[in-house]
Amino acid sequence: MTARGDGATQRRRLLERVFELSARLADDMAGELDAQGLTRARAELLWRLHASGPVTQRALSEVLECTPRNVTGLVDALESAGLARREPHPTDRRASLVTLTDEGQATLTRWRDGYDDLAERLFAATPAADLQGFETTLERMLDRLRESAEMKPAP
Amino acid sequence: MTARGDGATQRRRLLERVFELSARLADDMAGELDAQGLTRARAELLWRLHASGPVTQRALSEVLECTPRNVTGLVDALESAGLARREPHPTDRRASLVTLTDEGQATLTRWRDGYDDLAERLFAATPAADLQGFETTLERMLDRLRESAEMKPAP
DNA sequence: TATTGTTATACTCTATAACTATA
DNA sequence: TATAGTTATAGAGTATAACAATA
């Protein structure tokens, strides 16, 4: 008979729930993207592009933490899909500026609305005070993870 | 001047934190696995195998929600790595039973310890009462996601 | 000489379709 | 006839290395 409510047991169960949450959110998102004919990697690029405005592929490769070669393929796909395009860099003829098309912009607007819908769906039934506590615990978790990420930054 | 502390704003910020948590946990895990020469897909198979005991590839393809062909490749890789092996099925000569090797078992034991360490690292600094509240809110979120997953189960 | 982005090549995960050996 | 697992083929993400054009 081990004691129920044991701290380690609670923590283990909690972490399991957190992983389930991650998995379900990822599934949810993958489903949405699939319905739009997009993949996660391409969506991530669009998202970053929206956040930054027009940028070089070099900059994208740094933000996405992948190789320039990888960016080439993603931009090719997004260009074919009509969501982004390459424009000449005004001063550096080696580089090009990746830009959202109007359709790309529209896609991002839809995502923002979907994001808010999801936030409401997940949290609307929870009192604001509880959400405050939730955020505090969440931030503690993030602090621990940020700490360990700082310890091993350069691969 | 929109009101700060507005409900929608809080929810949006909270969802952002949740996504950051997911991303950091995934990065953390990918780093660990990479150090062990494993990929996420192979680790997932090992994990399921540990949970189920020896099973057919057919069963694995259902649990992992992927094609039998995919399982073939993953088991091939795990077999080469010495973590799993195929054994003849006792009654069905078409099928084989995938089994953890001793090294595979040892790997799983290490993971279990690492899992508990992570749970402690993330939660030890948070009072048990706060964790209780955290779990309640987490469960509400999961309920919402489980609901929508049930609505569209069969692709 | 260094940098931007590309082509060439390769590995992993994933899927569909066709096929073999069994049930 | 149906099932378990394989081979064959293909697309997507990712990586390294070599190369062109330009800085």
Side-chain angles (χ1 to χ4, degrees):
Chain A
M1 317 298 166
T2 61
R4 282 312 67 173
D6 171 54
T9 303
Q10 182 187 32
R11 291 194 288 268
R12 200 178 298 127
R13 190 181 58 237
L14 224 41
L15 186 52
E16 275 166 26
R17 297 294 187 282
V18 168
F19 276 118
E20 181 182 349
L21 181 69
S22 288
R24 287 188 182 275
L25 284 174
D27 275 7
D28 219 59
M29 205 180 328
E32 297 285 332
L33 291 177
D34 194 59
Q36 298 173 63
L38 278 169
T39 65
R40 187 171 177 139
R42 293 170 195 179
E44 173 85 4
L45 194 154
L46 281 186
W47 183 263
R48 301 297 190 159
L49 196 50
H50 178 249
S52 67
V55 280
T56 62
Q57 296 187 186
R58 177 70 193 167
L60 283 171
S61 83
E62 278 158 19
V63 175
L64 298 174
E65 295 182 288
C66 69
T67 60
R69 175 61 186 91
N70 201 350
V71 174
T72 298
L74 296 174
V75 172
D76 284 352
L78 290 169
E79 204 159 34
S80 297
L83 298 171
R85 74 169 167 275
R86 290 177 171 93
E87 297 195 335
H89 191 289
T91 65
D92 187 340
R93 284 195 298 169
R94 294 170 306 177
S96 57
L97 284 180
V98 186
T99 317
L100 281 180
T101 62
D102 288 348
E103 195 182 336
Q105 292 277 5
T107 298
L108 263 295
T109 301
R110 278 205 315 278
W111 290 356
R112 195 201 50 204
D113 293 346
Y115 190 89
D116 287 349
D117 288 350
L118 177 62
E120 172 144 2
R121 186 153 58 90
L122 293 179
F123 297 123
T126 301
D130 292 8
L131 291 183
Q132 181 54 57
F134 184 79
E135 183 166 5
T136 302
T137 300
L138 208 50
E139 281 295 352
R140 274 208 201 90
M141 296 171 71
L142 283 169
D143 284 343
R144 296 300 167 285
L145 291 168
R146 291 181 190 123
E147 280 165 19
S148 36
E150 269 170 32
M151 302 235 283
K152 37 191 167 175
Chain B
M1 317 296 168
T2 61
R4 281 311 68 171
D6 171 53
T9 302
Q10 182 186 30
R11 291 194 289 270
R12 200 177 299 127
R13 190 181 58 235
L14 225 39
L15 187 51
E16 274 166 27
R17 297 296 187 281
V18 168
F19 276 118
E20 181 181 350
L21 181 68
S22 288
R24 286 188 183 274
L25 284 174
D27 275 6
D28 219 59
M29 205 178 331
E32 296 286 333
L33 290 177
D34 194 58
Q36 299 174 62
L38 278 168
T39 65
R40 180 163 185 148
R42 293 169 195 180
E44 174 84 4
L45 194 154
L46 281 186
W47 182 263
R48 300 297 190 159
L49 196 51
H50 178 250
S52 67
V55 280
T56 62
Q57 294 188 189
R58 177 70 193 167
L60 282 171
S61 84
E62 278 157 18
V63 174
L64 298 173
E65 295 181 291
C66 69
T67 61
R69 176 61 185 92
N70 201 349
V71 174
T72 297
L74 297 174
V75 173
D76 283 352
L78 290 170
E79 205 159 33
S80 296
L83 298 171
R85 72 169 168 275
R86 289 175 172 94
E87 297 195 335
H89 191 289
T91 65
D92 188 339
R93 284 195 297 171
R94 294 170 307 178
S96 57
L97 285 180
V98 185
T99 317
L100 281 180
T101 62
D102 288 348
E103 195 182 336
Q105 292 278 4
T107 299
L108 262 296
T109 300
R110 278 204 314 278
W111 289 357
R112 195 201 51 203
D113 293 346
Y115 190 90
D116 288 349
D117 288 350
L118 177 61
E120 172 145 1
R121 188 152 57 92
L122 293 179
F123 297 125
T126 302
D130 292 7
L131 291 183
Q132 181 55 56
F134 184 78
E135 183 166 6
T136 302
T137 299
L138 208 50
E139 282 295 351
R140 273 209 201 90
M141 297 171 71
L142 282 169
D143 285 342
R144 297 298 168 285
L145 291 168
R146 291 181 190 124
E147 281 165 17
S148 36
E150 271 170 31
M151 303 237 280
K152 38 191 166 174

